[in-house]
Amino acid sequence: MGDPDSPVTAAREAEEGVPLTLSTRIAVTLNELAKLRDVSGIEGRFETGHVNLSVFRFDDEMIVTPILARRVGHDSPMMHLRRRQADGMFDRFAAHVEELWGRGRDIRESDDDGQA
């Protein structure tokens, strides 16, 4: 997820221009994830260079929302992808997400307010 303190997140907020800021939406997400702290297999990472994609992966399925310019997530298309073949759309999105994941940092590393 986008780092709430990142200049990229601030720029995205300015582009969206909505009262419910990206930083606020990130804070809500962190609060909800904190409730799942003891559930195994749930992970999250901050990414500071790319905040235009939402992905939730479940083994060979994923929900992908490419965030459109000047739109918030709920105004962007959502795709349900299933892995059906090698190097198909699922694998390409998975590789992209793995790249972002590798650059990110665990959301639990910044537990400033006890929320992550």
Side-chain angles (χ1 to χ4, degrees), residues 67-105:
I67 311 302
L68 303 177
R70 290 181 282 291
R71 302 274 186 176
V72 294
H74 66 267
D75 288 336
S76 297
M78 181 181 66
M79 301 177 285
H80 180 182
L81 304 180
R82 294 179 182 93
R83 187 171 196 281
R84 299 285 191 227
Q85 66 188 40
D87 200 36
M89 189 179 296
F90 179 94
D91 285 352
R92 291 176 186 206
F93 269 103
H96 177 68
V97 170
E98 289 298 323
E99 168 70 23
L100 297 175
W101 188 267
R103 295 189 310 209
R105 75 179 196 292

Side-chain angles (χ1 to χ4, degrees), residues 17-83:
V18 295
L20 184 57
T21 66
L22 182 55
S23 295
T24 299
R25 297 190 312 266
I26 291 168
V28 169
T29 300
L30 290 172
N31 187 54
E32 293 302 311
L33 286 173
K35 296 173 185 176
L36 302 172
R37 183 184 318 261
D38 297 329
V39 178
S40 65
I42 296 177
E43 301 174 81
R45 294 184 69 82
F46 287 125
E47 218 301 303
T48 59
H50 192 289
V51 292
N52 296 323
L53 180 70
S54 293
V55 177
F56 300 89
R57 184 170 178 185
F58 314 92
D59 299 322
D60 284 344
E61 297 190 41
M62 69 174 74
I63 305 296
V64 177
T65 303
I67 311 302
L68 303 177
R70 290 181 282 291
R71 302 274 186 176
V72 294
H74 66 267
D75 288 336
S76 297
M78 181 181 66
M79 301 177 285
H80 180 182
L81 304 180
R82 294 179 182 93
R83 187 171 196 281

